[in-house]
Amino acid sequence: MVEVTEAQPASAAAIAATVAAAGFEARRVAVPTGSASATILTEGLTNVAADARHWATLVAARAARREGGLTLLLQSADAWSGLEGLSRTLRKEWPESRAFAWTLPPGGEALVAHALRSGYADGEISFTGTLSVPSPGPSLAPPSVIPGASPGVWLVTGGARGVTAACAIELARRAGGTILLAGRSAETPWPADLPDTGDLKTLRGLLVDRFRQSGARVTPAEIDRTARNLLAGAEIRETLAAIRKAGAEGAYIPLDAGDGVAVSGALSQAQAKWGQITGWVHGAGVLADKLAADKTEAELRRVFAPKVGGVMNILAALDAAQLRYIAFFSSAAAFFGNKGQSDYAMANALLASAGRSLARTVPEAQVKVFHWGPWAGGMVDGALASHFEAQGIPLIPLDEGARIFVSELLGGAPEQVELVVGEAWATT
């Protein structure tokens, strides 16, 4: 028995008919029963917002889960979508069942029966019925010589701290121009009466003493929040100083990339002051790790907002034709899947879909999507580093990753849009 969900009614009807004509017993259902040997999900073919579309597919996949069962996640080649990130993650979290994502051309519902008979895995199905499967491509290493670029105005979202900051500093060294760092943190000034420190625990202690002496009553949560804000402000100023030392002009724009109104206003003001933005590096992102069976809609929306919503908001505020360089920071989780990161894998896979689309529609721009493995910095703390080490996955050193980034963005082969950087993650 093959069940076809009716989230996209016209597609569901066409798929059920072609599957039945191919000799399979087929039925259309509003919600998967979990009893079918194969379930075909049409939630990814709808025209709703990206976060709602991916959430609906995850919910339907949970309902379809069955030992020994097959779940097929359909998405359209005409829309930016990242369901392969979900299928790759589900295969790791649910080893007792199979899940694959198929990208269909417009009007390609009749191809589903052929793909079903052929036992296709993840990939894009052409009108001829063939399957195109992405591959990691050649191994990358930092070159001895990194090309430069004409000075321009660069927007670096999520770039004031951590991994993206390291890349922004290397970009300043090689490209010059003006680098506008945009992030959600405020550039909180350091109190004149506090000694400088970069250690969170030490700073908490200094703040406790400071508030005690002033007689103010604050909670531990407020102390922690104040300390983190101060450290974030200090990191922003350090990054800006490093950018200027490297030979570029640097400025910071407090900005939530997921807020379309704020993005439009901030970028309008920025371009009035510094000139037309000609390069864009999108490194914004957050994590909300949890197994797919327990993931909530709020968590998925939180992960999608800066990464996916950010891309759409910035493209709505800029003329894409003015851009000469576009770099998206994705994750190896999108390419290989990763337990607990179904939402993050989908968001990053959608980012890759957007990058491929922009490479076609803005051919004058150099477009690169970096599927990063884990870095020795950024979101990887000591516990995560030990986890990766136990799996045999080395961390990418900050200086090496930054040099690879700048080399590929400024001088990489234009036809190679997606790059997997770091060792391949385990496939099981």
Side-chain angles (χ1 to χ4, degrees), residues 61-76:
R62 291 198 296 217
R65 182 180 180 182
R66 174 179 181 268
E67 185 172 356
L70 171 65
T71 304
L72 302 173
L73 321 175
L74 302 185
Q75 56 190 359
S76 172

Side-chain angles (χ1 to χ4, degrees), residues 33-129:
T33 65
S35 61
S37 57
T39 305
I40 300 172
L41 308 182
T42 65
E43 280 72 8
L45 298 176
T46 63
N47 293 322
V48 299
D51 51 3
R53 183 171 9 114
H54 288 71
W55 170 250
T57 303
L58 173 55
V59 170
R62 291 198 296 217
R65 182 180 180 182
R66 174 179 181 268
E67 185 172 356
L70 171 65
T71 304
L72 302 173
L73 321 175
L74 302 185
Q75 56 190 359
S76 172
D78 270 0
W80 294 354
S81 189
L83 292 181
E84 62 270 32
L86 176 59
S87 64
R88 292 162 182 166
T89 297
L90 292 182
R91 292 199 295 272
K92 292 192 171 187
E93 294 189 13
W94 303 345
E96 78 286 353
S97 60
R98 294 172 295 153
F100 299 106
W102 292 346
T103 303
L104 301 179
E109 288 84 359
L111 299 167
V112 172
H114 169 74
L116 191 61
R117 285 197 307 266
S118 301
Y120 283 163
D122 293 313
E124 184 168 349
I125 303 171
S126 72
F127 275 117
T128 62

Side-chain angles (χ1 to χ4, degrees), residues 293-376:
D294 304 318
K295 188 77 64 176
T296 67
E297 183 176 5
E299 289 164 344
L300 182 143
R301 289 183 181 275
R302 178 169 173 258
V303 169
F304 267 57
K307 190 166 290 290
V308 174
V311 163
M312 295 179 176
N313 291 335
I314 290 166
L315 285 174
L318 294 179
D319 177 7
Q322 76 190 34
L323 297 171
R324 292 296 170 262
Y325 297 94
I326 301 172
F328 292 159
F329 279 19
S330 175
S331 165
F335 205 88
F336 300 106
N338 199 34
K339 288 182 179 178
Q341 292 192 323
S342 57
D343 47 9
Y344 191 63
M346 284 190 285
N348 282 292
L350 188 149
L351 213 61
S353 175
R356 293 190 298 269
S357 175
L358 288 169
R360 293 189 298 268
T361 58
V362 192
E364 300 83 5
Q366 172 86 309
V367 181
K368 296 290 178 181
V369 178
F370 295 87
H371 296 297
W372 295 113
W375 286 67

Side-chain angles (χ1 to χ4, degrees), residues 148-353:
S150 299
V153 179
W154 294 82
L155 172 67
V156 183
T157 45
R161 305 169 61 193
V163 166
T164 321
C167 291
I169 294 166
E170 186 66 21
L171 185 61
R173 186 174 294 115
R174 300 298 173 181
T178 300
I179 296 183
L180 307 177
L181 304 178
R184 289 174 298 163
S185 300
E187 194 178 346
T188 308
W190 195 271
D193 61 333
L194 274 184
D196 287 338
T197 178
D199 181 71
L200 179 61
K201 183 177 180 181
T202 300
L203 181 55
R204 287 191 191 115
L206 291 171
L207 288 172
V208 168
D209 292 341
R210 183 172 183 256
F211 285 121
R212 183 181 294 124
Q213 291 172 13
S214 69
R217 300 185 63 178
V218 293
T219 66
E222 291 172 321
I223 291 286
D224 182 72
R225 183 167 53 253
T226 301
R228 291 180 186 276
N229 289 341
L230 288 173
L231 290 178
E235 285 184 85
I236 291 168
R237 288 186 290 276
E238 288 171 8
T239 301
L240 289 173
I243 285 172
R244 292 163 186 149
K245 184 177 180 181
E249 183 179 354
Y252 182 71
I253 305 171
L255 178 66
D256 180 356
D259 183 338
V261 174
V263 167
S264 178
L267 295 191
S268 177
Q269 293 176 20
Q271 292 191 104
K273 181 175 182 179
W274 286 289
Q276 188 178 71
I277 292 169
T278 55
W280 172 30
V281 179
H282 187 57
V286 297
L287 297 174
D289 291 0
K290 189 180 291 184
L291 293 176
D294 304 318
K295 188 77 64 176
T296 67
E297 183 176 5
E299 289 164 344
L300 182 143
R301 289 183 181 275
R302 178 169 173 258
V303 169
F304 267 57
K307 190 166 290 290
V308 174
V311 163
M312 295 179 176
N313 291 335
I314 290 166
L315 285 174
L318 294 179
D319 177 7
Q322 76 190 34
L323 297 171
R324 292 296 170 262
Y325 297 94
I326 301 172
F328 292 159
F329 279 19
S330 175
S331 165
F335 205 88
F336 300 106
N338 199 34
K339 288 182 179 178
Q341 292 192 323
S342 57
D343 47 9
Y344 191 63
M346 284 190 285
N348 282 292
L350 188 149
L351 213 61
S353 175

